[in-house]
Amino acid sequence: MRIPMDALERVISVGSVEELDGTPVISLVSGPDRALTLAIKRTFDRAVSALALVLLSPVFVAITVAIALDSGRPILFRQKRLGVHGRAFSLVKFRSMVRDAEARRAGLSALNKVSGPIFKLSGDPRITRVGRFLRRTSLDELTQLWNVLRGEMSLVGPRPPLPDEVKDYDLWPAAVSP
């Protein structure tokens, strides 16, 4: 393949050098400048999450009391997750499992219902009574509005993965044949 030098210079000028698994690569981004749309999205995320945190504060208090009465402290569960560009942050959720759930995970690995890096159990014995309700109604995830307000997550987007899940990602998937 032959590419005229002036065309190549234009392509390289709109690209940026990034690192992918230790290898420098040129990323080419096409389309209009996304800075304005990203700023609007970020402003929307901040405004909605701040308003929701205020409006939902009575629900937060009720959930806090329920967790404290059911299984004690801590009320919140923090877990390291990876956001955009692999940035690590501490995801916050209402605790829905017993305190030592992470330590018990290894003993339950044979019951994993999902193949690959994700760990999922049906009827997980580590989930508390209140936790079962919180998970069924997704109320355990309301505290992630705090992560949205801090700019670590967005209201719309994929679930931030665990570092162990990301290390098993295939960075160079095989090309799809026609």
Side-chain angles (χ1 to χ4, degrees), residues 139-161:
L139 291 172
D140 62 321
E141 305 205 13
L142 283 179
T143 50
Q144 292 174 37
L145 289 166
W146 177 250
N147 292 111
V148 173
L149 185 65
R150 293 176 46 120
E152 298 161 332
M153 291 176 60
S154 181
L155 288 172
V156 177
R159 178 186 70 85

Side-chain angles (χ1 to χ4, degrees), residues 2-103:
R2 294 190 174 127
I3 301 172
M5 195 58 168
D6 64 328
L8 186 59
E9 287 171 359
R10 278 186 298 216
V11 167
I12 292 175
S13 70
V14 298
S16 61
V17 177
E18 297 178 339
E19 190 175 303
L20 184 63
D21 199 25
T23 303
V25 295
I26 296 177
S27 292
L28 303 175
V29 179
S30 61
D33 183 15
R34 296 181 37 193
L36 179 61
T37 55
L38 289 174
I40 291 169
K41 183 178 186 302
R42 180 72 194 113
T43 302
F44 175 80
D45 281 350
R46 285 190 113 155
V48 171
S49 62
L51 180 64
L53 284 166
V54 171
L55 294 176
L56 292 170
S57 59
V59 175
F60 284 29
V61 171
I63 292 171
T64 297
V65 170
I67 293 171
L69 292 174
D70 183 52
S71 58
R73 294 184 175 267
I75 303 301
L76 298 176
F77 171 73
R78 296 176 192 277
Q79 188 175 48
K80 183 180 176 183
R81 296 290 180 112
L82 299 179
V84 175
H85 304 299
R87 281 185 233 137
F89 70 96
S90 181
L91 180 110
V92 182
K93 287 178 134 186
F94 281 116
R95 186 171 58 83
S96 61
M97 291 187 161
V98 294
R99 282 184 218 99
D100 62 343
E102 291 293 308

